[in-house]
């Protein structure tokens, strides 16, 4: 399963260290080459000899104990690894990493690593919910570290709650999927155009009509398309997000600008994904100067913007057209109706009143509908994970037709 993949396991000091022993054993059995670094606290629970015997490799724990004089151990280990996993990751190591602290063998190696780093936290439920830890996890997430969420259950401290290190079998499965996915590029050679965020329709130089879209869903879709091998163009309304790596970003403001940008990339696109929350109306007249306050009420006359997706549906040749539907009631019925009216292949329906989803949230809950009758619900999960799952599902559904697009 993991033939010769080089995995560096960083073990920090918590009672869940015993599960890391099992993790290293399972990774080795799956064919991976595994090296282990331990913190001093981890060694209070299990000795390095245990990991050495299971991994059949030297175990590292002292930054100044250079076992091979030809290399600097923490740099060498960092360069060696295809994947680094910190399991269990204590509150302490998470906080150090979030602040760039490198004061032992684990943290110096982590800072020197350019491979993907996965963090599997394990701690008391109240520590996991502590504001500082939440803040540090969020900041590491933004820096590109991946988290394996702890599971819920009985904790060694006697509490029942979230904080248990994920089971070693599950971690091994995630690692196998990761390496499989890294050789799975179903969208290689395809151009995918994604739209994201809100549009702003100006009233005057200081005011506009818009909505609460943060762009998170669309940015996640673009990053997922890029990870599956696509040449990805992201047409983005005004948002406060970092540009996804490896994606061409075109910044627009209004629905009209979004329409022009999408049309200019439509002809040679294989897939178009319209995650943007385009304003349906704009002021009929845009004032050149700031509107002055007057006594009494005021009215602004609005007119319809162009329905970009409907235009794309009417011009469709070989493109796979995927829309989103933001609904507050009767979502599936309205979603199906939009597939028909806009000539779509798929629509991703989200009930934006769901507390786990919709505008601004990091997570979403959706149902994927297709013109061929697919109706697949996806439970609440982060928009990043959801984007991967949605696109992978669509790639599998379209495996026969993708070549012709
Ligand atoms: O950005 P986030 O904060 O992460 O939130 C994500 C989201 C809720 C915005 C996203 O998941 C979502 O639902 N996007 C579509 C929102 C929307 O405009 O839905 P709609 O049902 O009004 O439109 C249906 C489809 O038509 C959408 O694909 C939309 O992009 C498109 N449309 C709508 C109007 C218009 N003038 N032109 C369009 O192309």
């Amino acid at each position: 399963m993991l033939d010769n993949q080089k995995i560096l396991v960083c073990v920090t000091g918590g009672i869940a260290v015993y599960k890391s022993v099992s993790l290293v054993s399972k990774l080795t059995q799956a064919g991976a080459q595994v090296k282990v670094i331990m913190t001093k606290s981890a060694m209070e629970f299990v000795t390095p000899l245990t990991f050495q015997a299971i991994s059949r490799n030297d175990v590292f724990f002292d930054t100044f104990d250079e076992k091979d004089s030809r290399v600097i151990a923490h740099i060498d280990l960092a360069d060696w690894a295809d994947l680094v996993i910190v399991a269990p990751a204590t509150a302490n190591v998470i906080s150090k990493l979030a602040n760039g602290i490198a004061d032992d063998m684990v943290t110096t190696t982590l800072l020197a690593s350019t491979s993907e780093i996965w963090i599997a936290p394990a701690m008391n439920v109240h520590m996991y919910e502590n504001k500082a830890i939440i803040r540090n996890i969020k900041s590491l997430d933004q820096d590109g570290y991946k988290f394996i969420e702890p599971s819920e259950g009985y904790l060694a401290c006697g509490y029942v709650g979230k904080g248990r290190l994920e089971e070693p079998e599950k971690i091994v499965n995630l690692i196998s999927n990761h390496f499989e996915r890294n050789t799975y590029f179903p969208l290689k050679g395809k151009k995918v155009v994604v739209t994201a965020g809100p549009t702003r329709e100006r009233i005057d130089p200081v005011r506009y009509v818009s909505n609460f879209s943060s762009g998170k869903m669309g940015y996640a879709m673009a990053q997922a398309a890029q990870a599956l091998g696509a040449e990805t163009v992201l047409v983005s309304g005004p948002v406060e997000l970092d540009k996804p790596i490896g994606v061409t970003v075109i910044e627009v403001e209004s629905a009209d600008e979004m329409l022009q940008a999408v049309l200019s990339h439509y002809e040679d696109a294989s897939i178009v994904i319209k995650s943007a929350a385009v304003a349906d109306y704009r002021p009929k007249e845009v004032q050149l100067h700031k509107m002055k306050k007057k006594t009494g009420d005021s009215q602004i006359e609005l007119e319809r913007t162009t329905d970009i997706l409907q235009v794309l549906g009417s011009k469709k040749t070989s493109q796979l057209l995927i829309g989103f539907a933001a609904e507050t009631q009767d979502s599936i019925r309205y979603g199906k109706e939009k597939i028909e009216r806009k000539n779509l292949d798929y629509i991703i329906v989200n009930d934006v009143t769901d507390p786990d989803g919709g505008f601004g949230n990091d997570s979403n809950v959706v149902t994927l509908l297709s013109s061929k009758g697919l109706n697949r619900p996806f439970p609440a999960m982060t928009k990043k994970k959801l984007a991967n799952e949605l696109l992978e599902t669509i790639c599998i559904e379209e495996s026969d037709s993708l070549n012709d697009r």
Side-chain angles (χ1 to χ4, degrees):
M1 244 189 339
L2 288 171
D3 263 353
N4 284 325
Q5 302 292 356
K6 298 184 193 118
I7 301 170
L8 181 62
V9 180
C10 296
V11 184
T12 67
I15 185 63
V17 167
Y18 77 94
K19 281 188 171 176
S20 311
V21 176
S22 161
L23 174 65
V24 170
S25 163
K26 287 182 194 315
L27 289 172
T28 313
Q29 284 171 43
Q33 292 183 47
V34 185
K35 290 190 182 177
V36 175
I37 313 180
M38 300 179 78
T39 58
K40 282 214 169 71
S41 315
M43 291 191 296
E44 297 286 335
F45 294 90
V46 171
T47 65
L49 187 61
T50 309
F51 283 109
Q52 184 185 308
I54 289 173
S55 66
R56 286 175 233 120
N57 270 315
D58 285 343
V59 172
F60 297 79
F61 45 85
D62 183 350
T63 329
F64 301 103
D65 174 18
E66 298 289 0
K67 294 178 197 297
D68 178 351
S69 59
R70 291 167 303 171
V71 294
I72 309 288
H74 65 280
I75 305 294
D76 191 47
L77 282 170
D79 290 346
W80 171 86
D82 295 324
L83 177 73
V84 182
I85 173 157
V86 190
T90 56
N92 186 42
V93 79
I94 288 171
S95 303
K96 279 195 209 171
L97 200 52
N99 290 286
I101 294 170
D103 62 355
D104 61 10
M105 187 64 190
V106 166
T107 45
T108 46
T109 310
L110 289 174
L111 287 202
S113 175
T114 52
S115 318
E116 211 164 277
I117 299 180
W118 292 12
I119 299 175
M123 64 193 80
N124 163 273
V125 59
H126 295 155
M127 291 172 81
Y128 189 63
E129 287 168 356
N130 181 287
K131 282 189 183 146
I133 299 303
I134 292 173
R135 199 168 52 239
N136 289 337
I137 288 179
K138 201 168 168 197
S139 126
L140 287 171
D141 178 60
Q142 280 164 358
D143 288 347
Y145 292 85
K146 298 240 161 75
F147 279 82
I148 301 177
E149 272 198 45
S151 53
E152 279 189 39
Y154 181 79
L155 303 174
C157 51
Y159 283 97
V160 174
K162 204 167 185 176
R164 283 162 62 99
L165 179 68
E166 186 52 280
E167 293 308 318
E169 294 78 6
K170 279 206 184 157
I171 300 182
V172 174
N173 279 343
L174 288 171
I175 293 175
S176 306
N177 289 346
H178 163 76
F179 283 113
E180 259 168 41
R181 193 172 302 135
N182 275 357
T183 54
Y184 174 60
F185 298 120
L187 297 180
K188 201 172 164 72
K190 307 285 165 202
K191 177 168 166 180
V192 175
V193 179
V194 182
T195 68
T199 65
R200 278 183 191 165
E201 312 301 329
R202 285 179 186 233
I203 299 169
D204 69 10
V206 297
R207 303 180 180 94
Y208 54 82
V209 175
S210 189
N211 57 64
F212 290 112
S213 170
S214 63
K216 289 177 188 169
M217 192 68 241
Y219 273 53
M221 294 302 290
Q223 193 70 83
Q226 190 273 341
L228 291 174
E231 172 202 341
T232 308
V233 177
L234 172 62
V235 180
S236 172
V239 297
E240 310 247 317
L241 299 173
D242 291 336
K243 293 193 168 96
I245 296 159
V247 170
T248 305
V249 181
I250 303 174
E251 289 171 321
V252 297
E253 186 176 286
S254 64
D256 249 359
E257 287 173 18
M258 185 170 279
L259 171 68
Q260 297 314 325
V262 175
L263 282 180
S264 69
H265 284 278
Y266 191 46
E267 215 173 281
D268 61 342
S270 304
I271 303 178
V272 177
I273 306 170
K274 286 239 51 257
S275 331
V278 186
D280 287 319
Y281 292 92
R282 68 176 161 228
K284 203 163 183 178
E285 274 174 36
V286 183
Q287 304 300 319
L288 261 174
H289 298 287
K290 185 182 167 200
M291 286 167 71
K292 290 285 174 206
K293 275 194 292 291
K294 293 183 200 140
T295 42
D297 297 340
S298 173
Q299 283 190 343
I300 297 169
E301 207 181 334
L302 300 175
E303 64 180 8
R304 285 293 307 267
T305 56
T306 308
D307 190 319
I308 303 171
L309 197 51
Q310 197 150 349
V311 171
L312 299 180
S314 69
K315 291 179 181 290
K316 188 162 82 169
T317 52
S318 60
Q319 298 89 345
L320 190 78
L321 203 49
I322 305 170
F324 270 75
E327 305 295 347
T328 55
Q329 56 175 342
D330 229 348
S331 325
I332 302 298
R333 184 164 67 83
Y334 286 126
K336 285 181 177 165
E337 186 264 321
K338 280 176 188 168
I339 288 189
E340 284 279 321
R341 181 159 48 86
K342 303 195 183 195
N343 190 22
L344 308 180
D345 298 285
Y346 290 89
I347 198 153
I348 297 154
V349 182
N350 38 191
D351 178 347
V352 290
T353 59
D354 192 314
D356 287 328
F359 290 89
N361 259 329
D362 286 336
S363 61
N364 209 356
V365 191
V366 304
T367 302
L368 176 66
L369 303 176
S370 81
S371 57
K372 293 183 189 143
L374 178 79
N375 181 333
R376 184 163 309 162
F378 289 76
M381 63 183 94
T382 64
K383 285 178 175 168
K384 287 179 186 167
K385 185 161 193 279
L386 178 63
N388 286 321
E389 293 204 2
L390 284 167
L391 272 184
E392 280 176 17
T393 306
I394 291 170
C395 286
I396 292 167
E397 291 287 320
E398 295 298 321
S399 50
D400 290 339
S401 84
L402 269 179
N403 275 344
D404 306 326
R405 296 191 187 271

